[in-house]
Amino acid sequence: MVGQRFVSLLQDHPRFDLVAAYASDRSEGRTVSATWRLHDAPLYDGVGELVLREGSLGNLRADRLDLVFSALPAAVAKDLEAAIAAAGIPVFSNASSHRMESRVPLLIPEVNPEHLSLLDGSGRGFLVTNPNCTTTGLALVLHALGRAVRFRRVFVATYQALSGAGFDGPSGIDVSGNVLPHIASEEEKVFAEPRKILGQLGDGGVVPADISVYAHCARVPVRDGHLEAVTVECDDAPDLTAVERALATFTAIPQSKSLPTAPTAPILVRTEPDRPQPLLDVNAGTPARARGMAVTVGRLRSDDHVLRLYLLVHNTIRGGAGGSLLNAELADALGYLG
Amino acid sequence: MVGQRFVSLLQDHPRFDLVAAYASDRSEGRTVSATWRLHDAPLYDGVGELVLREGSLGNLRADRLDLVFSALPAAVAKDLEAAIAAAGIPVFSNASSHRMESRVPLLIPEVNPEHLSLLDGSGRGFLVTNPNCTTTGLALVLHALGRAVRFRRVFVATYQALSGAGFDGPSGIDVSGNVLPHIASEEEKVFAEPRKILGQLGDGGVVPADISVYAHCARVPVRDGHLEAVTVECDDAPDLTAVERALATFTAIPQSKSLPTAPTAPILVRTEPDRPQPLLDVNAGTPARARGMAVTVGRLRSDDHVLRLYLLVHNTIRGGAGGSLLNAELADALGYLG
Amino acid sequence: MVGQRFVSLLQDHPRFDLVAAYASDRSEGRTVSATWRLHDAPLYDGVGELVLREGSLGNLRADRLDLVFSALPAAVAKDLEAAIAAAGIPVFSNASSHRMESRVPLLIPEVNPEHLSLLDGSGRGFLVTNPNCTTTGLALVLHALGRAVRFRRVFVATYQALSGAGFDGPSGIDVSGNVLPHIASEEEKVFAEPRKILGQLGDGGVVPADISVYAHCARVPVRDGHLEAVTVECDDAPDLTAVERALATFTAIPQSKSLPTAPTAPILVRTEPDRPQPLLDVNAGTPARARGMAVTVGRLRSDDHVLRLYLLVHNTIRGGAGGSLLNAELADALGYLG
Amino acid sequence: MVGQRFVSLLQDHPRFDLVAAYASDRSEGRTVSATWRLHDAPLYDGVGELVLREGSLGNLRADRLDLVFSALPAAVAKDLEAAIAAAGIPVFSNASSHRMESRVPLLIPEVNPEHLSLLDGSGRGFLVTNPNCTTTGLALVLHALGRAVRFRRVFVATYQALSGAGFDGPSGIDVSGNVLPHIASEEEKVFAEPRKILGQLGDGGVVPADISVYAHCARVPVRDGHLEAVTVECDDAPDLTAVERALATFTAIPQSKSLPTAPTAPILVRTEPDRPQPLLDVNAGTPARARGMAVTVGRLRSDDHVLRLYLLVHNTIRGGAGGSLLNAELADALGYLG
């Protein structure tokens, strides 16, 4: 799923040319078009005819790639991504395998662009990761929120889309008209990853932020878009107007540098009583190239020190391929791609 | 929806005879069978042929009823339920109109049976209410939890079923493959009602419990069953074994008195990693008459002082008609029905 | 799925005792309860604790069974069912492997009970099959229809439930909000099987009926119940009143012999404009033991020689385990079980 | 729904400028943006801020419009569309009210462009209608099919999307996990409309084609896209290769004149075993402006004289607003708009 989103986003990218696509044994030798299952993203002429190749290190080297985007399963990513990087090819990965390593940036360009400096001195072959889909939306909003309130504890419950489990996710008979209250390792990632992303650079890498995110992660019968019910325990009673302004006006380097896939506003605040909704808001983001890159926040409300809101993130765009692509655009803009 | 559940549960009840059913103008004059839309509850011979009558005070009086169950919309319930009670007919109501009134018990038989004494001295015509569907499951679990841990703050996010909105709820085009992150007045009820239910009887009525429930209430495309992701901030680090035992072994008056609709175990604790699920667990409860009356808890876990669990309650049975019926059975067993 | 329906229907059967349940490697050694995924069928005490065993011929013989119900996958059924029968144990099978064999009855008790005589002289070990789920509902209705009209060509389009594909059917991401217009081998079965079922006994077995069923088979996001849009090209303009009466009053041997799982009326005719609906009608059938055994017909209409109707059959009860069980009850009543 | 599709398709149209949008009382005075519920069509700057006005004849005249697109409900369309046309404003309508009138073209530009001559001599104010959504896809395919086979009888069963019932269609509780086997007046339209569309111009209007379409129309829980299972009784055994070629190579005036909203190929033929699928194929059509304008056909198969196929049409684009828009583009190209 994320792999196909990479293809979709790269097929007309102004900076990066899609020259090859690699797949598992199951799809190797088939065209991109024959395997295509993204209902809302058409393929352009030429790209559909691209034949999927075996994702071996040998093939990748032979293709003389300038960089690689990875949507590998974690089990495969561990060694293969390390080998690709060791071969001098930068890897921008959506896989979880290397996210928590001390010299690997876990990056959201609007949140912790300075973490790219973890790569300084590492040579041309390096690894940059983007967070788990759920974490991405949450960390982006928490970072912007930090401009208006101080907090150390966050409670979140998720309504996660089927696409997050890929094409071989739960069967229709199990998820139709149902909720599955468990997603393997998800709650652990949502606890650990924000600590690194929101952490400060120190001598030995990133010093984790002192923040605890207690999550409940569940799968709902929705196609795309992770909705998150977020409760923030603030140090002081929050000023809702300030909070809303902090979120709605938030911009960062991707916006100031006009990175191709950066949304004009990374966070959209809706004031209707019943938004965000996955169906209506999942593709938020302008310009057209940034559809699915904006996180939508709604139902902001506070009660004493407790701040509540819903947020929605496109799990395979901002929380997947689009996030990884924006990381590469940032690395490119900051000179890391040579 | 709740009205049809009342009919379903009453059609072969050992203590109460269903003698008449009343409806709005839209359905008046039609048979129960012709209006039936409960997919999982068959009608028995005779009951289906019952003709729905206008729910006027005159009709109710003329029918010389011993008691009335009400699933009236709140707007109508306000005056009509009061009038019925004033006419000397006990009313067991699922409507929200009178729940917070000081002389009206807001009752869950396993939780606060002693609140029935609010009726002492009120004569034969009285009102007894059951809580909102979401509150019912939550308050039952919080009460049992109180035997193992102490707490004052609870964070909850809900995954509420379509049946909670009745037959005229959100249109298919709006909810299919979507989540609606707002249910009118629901979060307010989930804050206010547990305070009364878990409160102590005092001179002027119930002294509210010092507990704050911060809720996010959302509608998901599920037919029956409200799933709730519950986070409890405990005073001390909880002992999970003790917590599980406190929930799994919990029983109260309805069990000791073997009320007809009481489940053998009001709370079932599942230890699988992915339960409770609405589809598989909504009808929990034995014996057969108590299907849908047990609340299922799962994914119990703790992290320092923070306790997390999921619970599932059948919103139109335990959280609706079944809850109301159990209230009447309790009142009957305790002599309030004369 | 069908295997679990067998367990559900057999757990309190008046004639057959469930003494053992067998499963594939994946589930062997687990309890019935631990693998249970039938959302609408509770397990009774004792049955849930039954441990699933390996379905080997050795085990089956050692257990000294009087008969076996099979929901084996076709690939396994071919040899194993033959071996079980050869070992002298009667097999009532839902698998497709042996359905079209000349000495094997393809049986619907209300339609072709006389086909059981194919077993005459075969000794104690024999095979009886029930048709494909889609065929079952269709053949039952066509047979009853034959009492009022004559026809040779039938056009049918199906709306088939997810449970028909079992627990490992299409993934949620593929079927949610979608229709899959293909079910492997289904249209071929729906053409071939009615010819045998509606055929006459001849010297060498069954002489196929001269009937052509042209089907379109599609999967829809429904849990249980195959809906079929049926068009019958009649020899003469049909008399709708006679047709309705022929269907609604149809009974046969299972009814006259009061077989335990036989519905009082095998075909229910609904006259509302929008029935049958899978959700509301899938469990049609009285008494309680026959829930899901009645086929519901609706929207009967004719236009010149063309008769149209919708029918609904519970695909894993009447069209699966229940059909097989009724076959065994018929064989028992007619003395084939010794 | 169709109204919003009109706005979406017109917001950047090369020939027509969207200058005003009209609505019912319920939405009057609100912005287009505030009422927007099309999940897959973003609004461009400016259009979202357009304020919806009352759709009165006075307003329409005051706005000095060159033409009007109508998605009015049939009850309102009857008189209002006639009045608008009488006021000299051409109306391109998706409403059913005037479709069968003898001087009103019922138009699919690729099928019966010559029917526009019904307008000859009618002056500037005239009415042009497009067919019912189900009919549109069917008539387009039948017309192209006529180049390879001859037939007079067609059997069709539909799997129609929720959007066909508009925003106030069936409630979620009724359609989730269900099929509704009835759509008011739909089968009648699917019988009557193809006869006119495929008919020949005669002296008094259109002489209906001698074709009978026997339909079963059902609603399934799909968002967009009507799937149709089509069986054609051919005069001779069809040559499948010729049929496929006739469909796949079919083009007509909209293509030769490169009308803006015309798809390059009006009919796409898929050869995979499980296509077309609503989710994956509903937006078929190139170039970008013609997304949703191509009808997808799949599973072509024949058996003696019986030809079977599935087709899929986007019900609110090709079968709604897009069809109407293409009608206006044709009228414009042929000089009917002065």
Side-chain angles (χ1 to χ4, degrees):
Chain A
M1 209 77 166
V2 173
Q4 298 204 345
R5 286 283 174 207
F6 272 127
V7 171
S8 170
L9 295 170
L10 286 168
Q11 62 184 341
D12 65 342
H13 195 271
R15 282 288 295 167
F16 305 132
D17 288 332
L18 177 66
V19 294
Y22 307 88
S24 64
D25 293 352
R26 200 172 58 176
S27 300
E28 194 193 327
R30 300 177 67 194
T31 61
V32 165
S33 174
T35 61
W36 201 248
R37 285 159 83 183
L38 285 190
H39 74 294
D40 60 355
L43 284 172
Y44 301 153
D45 287 346
V47 175
E49 283 70 51
L50 205 62
V51 175
L52 295 167
R53 307 183 54 207
E54 185 200 346
S56 67
L57 183 59
N59 275 346
L60 290 159
R61 294 180 87 144
D63 288 343
R64 301 178 153 277
L65 306 166
D66 290 323
L67 75 160
V68 164
F69 290 101
S70 164
L72 288 167
V76 180
K78 186 78 184 169
D79 291 344
L80 184 52
E81 290 182 355
I84 299 170
I89 308 173
V91 179
F92 292 86
S93 173
N94 184 60
S96 62
S97 320
H98 300 279
R99 281 180 195 152
M100 301 308 292
E101 292 174 13
S102 63
R103 307 309 305 178
V104 173
L106 179 56
L107 193 68
I108 301 175
E110 285 92 343
V111 175
N112 60 341
E114 71 281 8
H115 286 202
L116 266 184
S117 66
L118 289 171
L119 302 178
D120 292 349
S122 69
R124 180 161 169 71
F126 56 73
L127 265 168
V128 174
T129 60
N130 52 295
N132 165 278
C133 44
T134 303
T135 303
T136 300
L138 183 63
L140 183 59
V141 168
L142 291 181
H143 173 69
L145 210 53
R147 308 195 308 165
V149 290
R150 293 195 310 175
F151 54 88
R152 286 191 313 125
R153 298 211 306 175
V154 176
F155 305 96
V156 61
T158 68
Y159 307 71
Q160 298 187 220
L162 298 173
S163 58
F167 293 126
D168 297 325
S171 74
I173 195 82
D174 285 335
V175 298
S176 293
N178 201 12
V179 178
L180 304 178
H182 183 247
I183 299 174
S185 303
E186 190 83 356
E187 296 170 0
E188 293 78 357
K189 292 174 187 168
V190 174
F191 186 88
E193 295 181 7
R195 296 169 74 88
K196 178 169 178 181
I197 298 164
L198 300 174
Q200 302 297 318
L201 283 176
D203 287 344
V206 175
V207 181
D210 179 19
I211 179 176
S212 296
V213 178
Y214 300 100
H216 291 270
C217 292
R219 186 82 63 200
V220 293
V222 160
R223 192 162 180 84
D224 288 310
H226 288 359
L227 184 72
E228 308 181 24
V230 181
T231 305
V232 181
E233 193 178 284
C234 302
D235 291 356
D236 305 289
D239 172 346
L240 269 191
T241 307
V243 166
E244 181 175 337
R245 192 170 49 230
L247 296 174
T249 65
F250 173 69
T251 58
I253 291 186
Q255 286 70 41
S256 62
K257 288 198 177 290
S258 296
L259 300 183
T261 307
T264 311
I267 299 173
L268 302 177
V269 179
R270 309 277 320 203
T271 54
E272 299 91 330
D274 61 352
R275 301 290 278 268
Q277 292 178 22
L279 195 67
L280 299 179
D281 298 309
V282 67
N283 284 314
T286 53
R289 184 178 301 286
R291 273 170 64 82
M293 288 297 289
V295 171
T296 304
V297 165
R299 298 206 61 224
L300 266 173
R301 56 214 193 275
S302 69
D303 189 333
D304 194 23
H305 286 213
V306 175
L307 178 70
R308 278 175 284 177
L309 58 86
Y310 275 94
L311 72 83
L312 178 75
V313 58
H314 195 306
N315 53 304
T316 63
I317 298 183
R318 171 56 91 155
S324 214
L325 178 56
L326 193 60
N327 283 351
E329 291 171 0
L330 179 69
D332 180 43
L334 298 183
Y336 284 89
L337 294 181
Chain B
M1 208 78 165
V2 173
Q4 298 204 343
R5 286 283 174 207
F6 272 125
V7 171
S8 170
L9 296 170
L10 285 168
Q11 61 185 340
D12 65 344
H13 196 271
R15 282 288 296 166
F16 306 131
D17 288 330
L18 177 65
V19 294
Y22 308 87
S24 63
D25 294 350
R26 200 172 56 176
S27 301
E28 194 194 326
R30 301 176 67 195
T31 62
V32 165
S33 176
T35 62
W36 202 247
R37 286 159 81 183
L38 284 190
H39 74 293
D40 60 356
L43 283 173
Y44 301 151
D45 285 346
V47 176
E49 285 67 54
L50 205 62
V51 176
L52 295 166
R53 307 183 53 208
E54 186 199 346
S56 67
L57 184 59
N59 277 345
L60 290 159
R61 294 181 88 143
D63 289 341
R64 301 177 153 279
L65 307 166
D66 290 323
L67 75 160
V68 165
F69 291 102
S70 162
L72 288 167
V76 180
K78 186 77 183 168
D79 291 344
L80 184 53
E81 290 181 356
I84 299 170
I89 308 172
V91 179
F92 292 87
S93 172
N94 183 60
S96 62
S97 320
H98 299 279
R99 284 181 193 149
M100 302 307 292
E101 291 174 12
S102 62
R103 306 310 304 179
V104 173
L106 179 56
L107 192 68
I108 302 175
E110 286 92 344
V111 176
N112 59 341
E114 73 279 9
H115 286 201
L116 267 184
S117 66
L118 289 171
L119 303 179
D120 293 349
S122 68
R124 179 160 170 75
F126 55 74
L127 265 169
V128 174
T129 61
N130 54 295
N132 166 278
C133 43
T134 303
T135 303
T136 300
L138 183 62
L140 183 59
V141 169
L142 292 180
H143 174 68
L145 210 53
R147 308 196 309 164
V149 291
R150 293 197 307 176
F151 55 88
R152 287 192 313 122
R153 299 210 307 174
V154 177
F155 305 96
V156 61
T158 67
Y159 306 70
Q160 297 187 220
L162 298 173
S163 58
F167 293 127
D168 297 325
S171 74
I173 195 84
D174 285 335
V175 298
S176 292
N178 201 12
V179 179
L180 304 179
H182 183 247
I183 299 174
S185 303
E186 190 82 356
E187 296 170 1
E188 292 79 358
K189 291 175 187 167
V190 174
F191 186 88
E193 295 180 8
R195 296 169 73 89
K196 177 169 180 182
I197 298 164
L198 301 173
Q200 302 298 318
L201 281 177
D203 287 344
V206 175
V207 181
D210 180 19
I211 180 176
S212 296
V213 178
Y214 300 100
H216 292 270
C217 292
R219 186 83 63 199
V220 293
V222 160
R223 191 162 181 84
D224 288 311
H226 288 358
L227 183 72
E228 309 183 23
V230 181
T231 305
V232 180
E233 193 177 284
C234 302
D235 290 357
D236 304 289
D239 172 347
L240 269 191
T241 308
V243 165
E244 181 175 335
R245 192 171 46 232
L247 296 174
T249 65
F250 174 69
T251 58
I253 291 185
Q255 285 71 41
S256 62
K257 288 198 177 290
S258 296
L259 300 183
T261 306
T264 311
I267 299 175
L268 301 177
V269 179
R270 309 278 318 203
T271 55
E272 300 92 329
D274 60 352
R275 302 289 279 267
Q277 293 177 23
L279 195 66
L280 298 180
D281 298 309
V282 68
N283 285 313
T286 53
R289 186 178 300 285
R291 274 171 64 80
M293 287 299 288
V295 171
T296 304
V297 165
R299 297 205 63 224
L300 264 174
R301 56 213 193 277
S302 70
D303 190 333
D304 195 24
H305 287 212
V306 175
L307 178 71
R308 277 174 285 177
L309 58 86
Y310 274 94
L311 73 83
L312 178 75
V313 59
H314 195 305
N315 53 303
T316 63
I317 297 182
R318 171 58 91 155
S324 214
L325 178 57
L326 193 59
N327 283 351
E329 291 172 0
L330 178 70
D332 180 43
L334 298 183
Y336 284 90
L337 294 182
Chain C
M1 209 79 167
V2 172
Q4 298 204 345
R5 286 283 173 205
F6 272 125
V7 172
S8 170
L9 295 170
L10 286 168
Q11 63 184 340
D12 65 344
H13 195 272
R15 282 288 297 167
F16 306 130
D17 286 332
L18 178 67
V19 294
Y22 307 87
S24 63
D25 294 351
R26 201 172 58 178
S27 301
E28 194 192 326
R30 301 176 67 194
T31 61
V32 165
S33 175
T35 61
W36 201 247
R37 286 159 82 183
L38 285 189
H39 74 294
D40 59 356
L43 284 172
Y44 300 152
D45 286 347
V47 176
E49 284 68 52
L50 204 63
V51 175
L52 295 167
R53 309 183 52 208
E54 185 199 347
S56 66
L57 183 59
N59 277 344
L60 289 159
R61 294 180 89 142
D63 288 343
R64 300 180 154 275
L65 306 165
D66 291 323
L67 75 160
V68 165
F69 290 102
S70 163
L72 288 167
V76 181
K78 185 79 184 167
D79 292 343
L80 184 52
E81 290 181 356
I84 299 170
I89 308 173
V91 180
F92 292 86
S93 173
N94 183 61
S96 62
S97 318
H98 300 279
R99 282 181 195 150
M100 301 308 292
E101 292 174 11
S102 61
R103 306 309 306 176
V104 174
L106 178 57
L107 194 68
I108 301 174
E110 285 92 343
V111 176
N112 59 341
E114 72 281 7
H115 286 201
L116 266 184
S117 66
L118 289 171
L119 303 177
D120 292 350
S122 69
R124 181 162 169 72
F126 55 72
L127 266 167
V128 174
T129 61
N130 54 294
N132 164 279
C133 43
T134 303
T135 303
T136 300
L138 183 63
L140 184 58
V141 169
L142 292 180
H143 174 69
L145 210 53
R147 308 195 309 164
V149 290
R150 293 197 307 174
F151 54 88
R152 288 191 312 124
R153 300 211 305 176
V154 176
F155 305 96
V156 61
T158 67
Y159 307 70
Q160 297 187 220
L162 298 173
S163 58
F167 293 128
D168 297 324
S171 74
I173 194 85
D174 285 336
V175 297
S176 293
N178 202 11
V179 178
L180 303 179
H182 184 246
I183 298 174
S185 303
E186 191 82 355
E187 296 170 1
E188 292 80 357
K189 291 175 187 167
V190 174
F191 185 88
E193 296 181 6
R195 295 169 74 87
K196 178 169 179 182
I197 299 164
L198 300 174
Q200 302 298 319
L201 282 177
D203 288 342
V206 175
V207 180
D210 179 19
I211 180 177
S212 296
V213 178
Y214 299 100
H216 292 269
C217 292
R219 187 81 64 200
V220 293
V222 161
R223 192 164 181 82
D224 288 312
H226 289 359
L227 183 71
E228 309 182 23
V230 181
T231 305
V232 180
E233 194 178 283
C234 302
D235 291 355
D236 304 289
D239 172 347
L240 269 191
T241 308
V243 166
E244 181 174 336
R245 191 172 46 231
L247 297 174
T249 65
F250 174 69
T251 59
I253 290 186
Q255 285 70 42
S256 61
K257 288 198 177 290
S258 296
L259 300 183
T261 307
T264 311
I267 299 174
L268 301 177
V269 179
R270 310 277 318 202
T271 55
E272 300 93 329
D274 60 353
R275 301 291 276 269
Q277 293 177 23
L279 195 67
L280 299 180
D281 298 308
V282 68
N283 286 313
T286 53
R289 184 178 302 284
R291 273 170 65 81
M293 288 298 287
V295 171
T296 304
V297 166
R299 297 205 63 223
L300 265 173
R301 56 215 193 278
S302 70
D303 190 333
D304 194 22
H305 287 213
V306 175
L307 178 70
R308 278 174 285 176
L309 59 86
Y310 275 95
L311 72 84
L312 178 75
V313 58
H314 195 305
N315 53 304
T316 63
I317 298 183
R318 170 57 90 155
S324 215
L325 178 56
L326 193 60
N327 283 351
E329 292 172 0
L330 178 70
D332 180 42
L334 298 183
Y336 284 88
L337 294 181
Chain D
M1 208 79 166
V2 173
Q4 297 203 345
R5 286 283 173 206
F6 272 126
V7 170
S8 171
L9 295 170
L10 286 168
Q11 62 185 339
D12 65 344
H13 195 271
R15 283 287 296 167
F16 306 131
D17 289 331
L18 177 65
V19 295
Y22 307 87
S24 63
D25 293 352
R26 198 173 59 176
S27 301
E28 195 194 326
R30 300 177 67 194
T31 61
V32 166
S33 176
T35 60
W36 202 248
R37 287 160 81 183
L38 285 189
H39 74 294
D40 60 357
L43 283 173
Y44 301 151
D45 287 347
V47 175
E49 283 69 52
L50 204 62
V51 176
L52 294 166
R53 308 183 53 207
E54 186 200 346
S56 67
L57 183 60
N59 276 345
L60 289 159
R61 295 180 87 143
D63 288 341
R64 300 178 153 277
L65 306 165
D66 290 323
L67 75 161
V68 165
F69 290 101
S70 162
L72 287 167
V76 181
K78 186 78 185 167
D79 291 344
L80 184 52
E81 290 181 357
I84 299 170
I89 308 173
V91 179
F92 292 86
S93 171
N94 183 62
S96 63
S97 320
H98 299 279
R99 283 180 193 152
M100 301 308 292
E101 291 175 10
S102 62
R103 307 309 305 177
V104 173
L106 179 56
L107 193 69
I108 302 175
E110 285 93 343
V111 175
N112 60 340
E114 72 279 9
H115 287 201
L116 267 184
S117 66
L118 289 171
L119 303 178
D120 293 349
S122 69
R124 180 161 170 72
F126 55 74
L127 265 167
V128 174
T129 60
N130 53 296
N132 165 278
C133 42
T134 303
T135 303
T136 300
L138 183 63
L140 183 58
V141 168
L142 291 180
H143 174 69
L145 210 53
R147 307 196 310 164
V149 291
R150 293 196 307 175
F151 54 88
R152 286 191 313 125
R153 299 211 304 176
V154 176
F155 305 97
V156 62
T158 68
Y159 307 70
Q160 298 188 218
L162 299 172
S163 59
F167 293 126
D168 297 325
S171 75
I173 194 81
D174 285 335
V175 297
S176 294
N178 202 12
V179 178
L180 304 179
H182 183 245
I183 299 175
S185 302
E186 191 82 356
E187 296 170 0
E188 292 80 356
K189 291 174 187 168
V190 174
F191 185 88
E193 296 181 7
R195 296 169 74 88
K196 178 169 180 182
I197 298 164
L198 300 173
Q200 302 298 319
L201 282 177
D203 287 343
V206 175
V207 180
D210 179 18
I211 180 177
S212 295
V213 179
Y214 299 100
H216 292 271
C217 293
R219 187 82 64 200
V220 294
V222 160
R223 193 164 179 82
D224 288 312
H226 287 0
L227 183 72
E228 308 182 24
V230 181
T231 304
V232 180
E233 193 177 284
C234 302
D235 291 356
D236 305 289
D239 172 347
L240 269 191
T241 308
V243 166
E244 181 175 336
R245 191 171 48 231
L247 296 174
T249 65
F250 174 69
T251 58
I253 291 186
Q255 285 70 43
S256 62
K257 289 199 177 289
S258 296
L259 299 183
T261 306
T264 310
I267 299 175
L268 301 176
V269 179
R270 309 279 317 204
T271 55
E272 299 93 328
D274 61 351
R275 302 290 277 268
Q277 292 177 23
L279 196 67
L280 299 179
D281 298 309
V282 67
N283 285 314
T286 55
R289 184 178 300 286
R291 274 170 64 80
M293 288 297 287
V295 171
T296 304
V297 166
R299 298 206 60 225
L300 264 174
R301 56 212 193 278
S302 69
D303 191 333
D304 193 23
H305 288 212
V306 175
L307 178 71
R308 278 174 285 176
L309 58 86
Y310 275 95
L311 72 84
L312 178 75
V313 58
H314 195 307
N315 54 303
T316 62
I317 298 183
R318 170 58 90 155
S324 214
L325 178 56
L326 193 60
N327 283 351
E329 291 172 2
L330 179 70
D332 180 42
L334 298 182
Y336 284 88
L337 294 181

